[in-house]
Amino acid sequence: MSFPKINPTNTAAWHKLAKHFDSIKNTKMQDLFSNDPSRAGRMHIDWQDFYLDYSKNRVNDETMRLLFQLAEEVQLKSAIDAQFSEEKINETEDRVVGHTALRDFGAMKPEVAETLQKIKGFTEEVIGGNWKGYTGKSIKSIVNIGIGGSDLGPNMVCDALQYYKNHLDLRFISNVDGDHVMETIKDLDPETTLFIIVSKTFTTQETLTNAQTVRKWFLEQAGEEAIEKHFVAVSSNLEAIAKFGISSQNVFPIWDWVSGRFSLWSAAGLSIACAVGYDNFENLLKGAHEMDVHFRTANFDENIAVVLALLSVWYNNFFNSESECVVPYSQYLSKLVPYLQQGIMESNGKSTDRNGDPVDYQTGSIVWGSTGTNAQHAFFQLIHQGTKLIPTDFIAFTNSLHGNEDHHNKLLANCFAQTEALLQGTYGSETENNFKVFEGNKPTNTILIKKLTPNSLGSLIAMYEHKLFVQGVVWNIFSYDQWGVELGKKLAKGTLAAIENEDGIDTLNISTRRLIDKFRG
Ligand code: F6P
């Protein structure tokens, strides 16, 4: 089996879609609904506790048929099989893409099972108060130090699962902003604080700088021998960890087949397991695995991630939409969008195809958003009446967690009202002036989930992981590398040398040089 490398624009489906687009681009969804009462009954997917309504999209049955044909022609099925069969589909880094193996309890690799047991044992000790600090006190606060995938996933999930949290105070440091580091730790007691340093490479400037600063702060109160009771690491770089002074017993492994932005399922999720307990962490993994099974086995027309991905391709490549918006109607999911931004934009922000040639079509779209109803009072005006077409995902839960029915009815009423307004606008009704005209015809997906649980959250995250993978397959790009981040990292070393002692300053662009001069004063 080999990973397909097919230029989507050369497929028959693409040509047919381009033609079809001309015939449908001015069609109003409002008319599609009035002419076809069974539309919503057809254009939805019911899967476990998920209900995806994709009927409010600028598509008809023919559009969907052609999009599925496109998926066939780019050999999506082989691509999915290649990923799950541990082929090295991350070719530019010569790596397997194995994050789904981290949550497959039925076929678990021994090293993964062993690490999960280690996480279980460790978290039970810490949560149960039996892991003692250097003065014999139990741990009260945990600080996760990492960046990108070593921060965004755990941070987002800890917030999303607040309802399931225990007594531990969880904090996150990612930015190499010393002020933020100090604000985060200033009221902490070193005797009762545990630091989890998460860095797959253990070479990331931000994380290492933050870890050193925190270590120094800690050693102002405690001796070196206390480090082993207060610092643990998640990494694949054992040598660098040892140099930092962390005992090998306190190391949780991560493997090169786990990419940073898909690592929350690994020991990188240690802070999640600390925050909500091991069982909830395991349920998160199981929920993700259930979505994996759905993704691997469901026909394309019943496959949530595939349908969402193809719709996104439709808007990105035919309507020329530049961005898409994600709006969860749950404050618990307030960090979902930044998390998805890394996942989606670091994965699909590529302009070289899998054959090594420059692409001449659009790839990854810009993802943005915020929680509803806050978003309605911020940027929704532009989605309703602006000049850009912004397909939007609405995510909502049927049940609230605290059971406040009045609030929840209002929250969901707003969610549904927005999709209705975006669809319907003022179409068909007389409006007295142009300023009050809403064209409607704005595409939305609604993902309605029974309840926010570790399990359903796992499924939701995995759904977006698979969506971005399908998009990458269609666009014929490699979704699992991130070379674009490397140049900035390299140059930052040069600009730091220039800031600190003018080293190499002459090699920099004049504008950058002037900024450095201004900064140095
Ligand atoms: O931003 C680039 C990146 O490599 C991400 O993919 C990764 O999540 C992050 O840096 C952190 O890397 P590490 O875990 O090695 O510190």
Side-chain angles (χ1 to χ4, degrees):
M1 196 185 317
S2 75
F3 204 58
K5 294 181 176 169
I6 296 160
N7 181 334
T9 64
N10 292 339
T11 61
W14 193 277
H15 292 296
K16 286 185 199 161
L17 278 163
K19 233 170 148 195
H20 172 71
F21 173 71
D22 280 337
S23 72
I24 200 176
K25 65 182 181 212
N26 296 321
T27 303
K28 300 272 184 203
M29 273 192 283
Q30 296 94 322
D31 295 331
L32 291 174
F33 271 97
S34 12
N35 297 334
D36 176 8
S38 68
R39 180 178 170 88
R42 275 196 326 279
M43 294 187 173
H44 76 271
I45 300 176
D46 239 323
W47 172 80
Q48 300 198 164
D49 289 348
F50 280 56
Y51 179 82
L52 165 68
D53 174 8
Y54 66 94
S55 62
K56 293 187 181 100
N57 277 292
R58 292 173 68 167
V59 295
N60 60 19
D61 291 341
E62 176 67 358
T63 325
M64 294 313 296
R65 197 186 61 74
L66 291 174
L67 288 170
F68 295 129
Q69 187 187 325
L70 174 64
E72 297 289 349
E73 283 189 60
V74 296
Q75 297 179 10
L76 175 60
K77 188 78 190 91
S78 314
I80 296 172
D81 290 344
Q83 168 161 327
F84 281 90
S85 64
E86 303 200 352
E87 211 179 290
K88 286 190 173 171
I89 64 166
N90 179 357
E91 276 182 33
T92 66
E93 294 179 343
D94 195 28
R95 284 182 186 153
V96 162
V97 175
H99 54 276
T100 55
L102 296 166
R103 52 213 193 195
D104 185 355
F105 286 85
M108 193 154 269
K109 293 171 188 290
E111 65 267 35
V112 176
E114 202 181 300
T115 306
L116 282 175
Q117 280 314 305
K118 186 167 177 170
I119 293 174
K120 187 172 192 279
F122 174 76
T123 51
E124 280 170 3
E125 287 268 292
V126 173
I127 298 165
N130 298 321
W131 180 286
K132 305 287 187 199
Y134 70 102
T135 56
K137 292 184 186 166
S138 302
I139 298 301
K140 287 188 187 149
S141 308
I142 294 183
V143 183
N144 188 96
I145 303 174
I147 196 164
S150 300
D151 164 76
L152 288 163
N155 196 347
M156 181 271 286
V157 173
C158 283
D159 241 43
L161 297 182
Q162 257 172 73
Y163 180 77
Y164 304 89
K165 251 187 103 253
N166 52 40
H167 62 283
L168 294 169
D169 166 24
L170 250 289
R171 301 183 187 192
F172 289 84
I173 295 176
S174 53
N175 200 341
V176 69
D177 174 348
D179 287 342
H180 181 246
V181 176
M182 293 326 289
E183 286 301 332
T184 308
I185 60 174
K186 70 179 183 192
D187 61 337
L188 290 177
D189 178 357
E191 294 178 40
T192 55
T193 303
L194 183 83
F195 296 96
I196 304 179
I197 306 171
V198 189
S199 178
K200 184 177 146 187
T201 55
F202 226 80
T203 57
T204 305
Q205 184 201 51
E206 293 90 334
T207 303
L208 293 192
T209 307
N210 289 338
Q212 287 296 355
T213 301
V214 164
R215 185 177 189 273
K216 210 165 136 222
W217 171 87
F218 179 78
L219 291 177
E220 279 164 16
Q221 306 245 1
E224 291 267 353
E225 70 291 347
I227 297 257
E228 66 173 357
K229 297 195 163 77
H230 293 266
F231 284 81
V232 302
V234 179
S235 185
S236 58
N237 187 348
L238 299 181
E239 212 177 298
I241 297 168
K243 250 194 199 153
F244 186 87
I246 294 179
S247 113
S248 58
Q249 281 166 341
N250 288 357
V251 179
F252 293 79
I254 180 166
W255 305 276
D256 79 336
W257 44 269
V258 181
S259 297
R261 54 192 176 276
F262 303 95
S263 65
L264 74 87
W265 322 101
S266 70
L270 185 61
S271 53
I272 303 172
C274 286
V276 296
Y278 177 79
D279 289 347
N280 282 321
F281 182 60
E282 198 174 293
N283 284 334
L284 179 84
L285 268 53
K286 284 182 174 157
H289 176 67
E290 286 160 24
M291 183 56 83
D292 295 342
V293 174
H294 168 72
F295 177 58
R296 281 185 82 173
T297 56
N299 292 335
F300 290 163
D301 59 351
E302 289 161 2
N303 195 314
I304 300 183
V306 172
V307 166
L308 289 176
L310 293 174
L311 287 168
S312 177
V313 168
W314 174 236
Y315 294 117
N316 188 57
N317 296 91
F318 295 92
F319 282 89
N320 295 325
S321 288
E322 293 267 304
S323 77
E324 52 194 50
C325 188
V326 177
V327 186
Y329 276 69
S330 166
Q331 206 55 31
Y332 288 119
L333 296 188
S334 62
K335 291 182 179 162
L336 180 67
V337 171
Y339 169 76
L340 292 178
Q341 284 176 326
Q342 187 201 13
I344 298 170
M345 290 159 76
E346 196 166 274
S347 297
N348 287 339
K350 312 283 165 65
S351 47
T352 302
D353 74 13
R354 289 199 289 270
N355 297 305
D357 298 322
V359 298
D360 58 0
Y361 48 87
Q362 288 292 314
T363 62
S365 47
I366 301 157
V367 179
W368 60 287
S370 177
T371 53
T373 56
N374 296 0
Q376 293 170 210
H377 296 271
F379 55 73
F380 262 49
Q381 166 67 36
L382 188 142
I383 305 182
H384 281 290
Q385 284 190 312
T387 52
K388 296 178 173 58
L389 185 71
I390 303 171
T392 303
D393 281 358
F394 286 75
I395 302 168
F397 297 93
T398 316
N399 298 295
S400 73
L401 296 181
H402 286 276
N404 192 327
E405 200 183 314
D406 172 49
H407 279 264
H408 206 61
N409 285 348
K410 285 173 183 157
L411 185 67
L412 276 272
N414 271 283
C415 172
F416 300 149
Q418 287 301 319
T419 69
E420 179 81 10
L422 287 164
L423 161 74
Q424 212 56 45
T426 49
Y427 189 64
S429 56
E430 289 286 310
T431 31
E432 60 268 36
N433 69 43
N434 282 346
F435 298 109
K436 294 187 180 175
V437 170
F438 287 67
E439 194 198 330
N441 207 21
K442 307 282 195 275
T444 63
N445 295 303
T446 304
I447 300 143
L448 190 60
I449 306 165
K450 219 179 211 158
K451 192 172 162 182
L452 177 58
T453 62
N455 188 278
S456 66
L457 181 67
S459 301
L460 180 69
I461 301 168
M463 177 193 90
Y464 277 110
E465 286 180 351
H466 297 315
K467 175 187 169 185
L468 75 86
F469 169 68
V470 173
Q471 289 174 291
V473 171
V474 173
W475 290 324
N476 197 27
I477 53 176
F478 286 118
S479 295
Y480 293 115
D481 59 20
Q482 61 287 314
W483 297 106
V485 198
E486 300 306 321
L487 180 62
K489 285 187 193 170
K490 202 166 114 197
L491 292 190
K493 284 191 187 140
T495 48
L496 180 62
I499 283 172
E500 286 179 344
N501 45 32
E502 294 197 335
D503 258 15
I505 194 158
D506 296 343
T507 62
L508 299 170
N509 162 282
I510 182 65
S511 153
T512 314
R513 217 148 70 197
R514 285 174 64 94
L515 287 167
I516 290 175
D517 284 344
K518 190 88 185 151
F519 175 67
R520 282 169 60 89

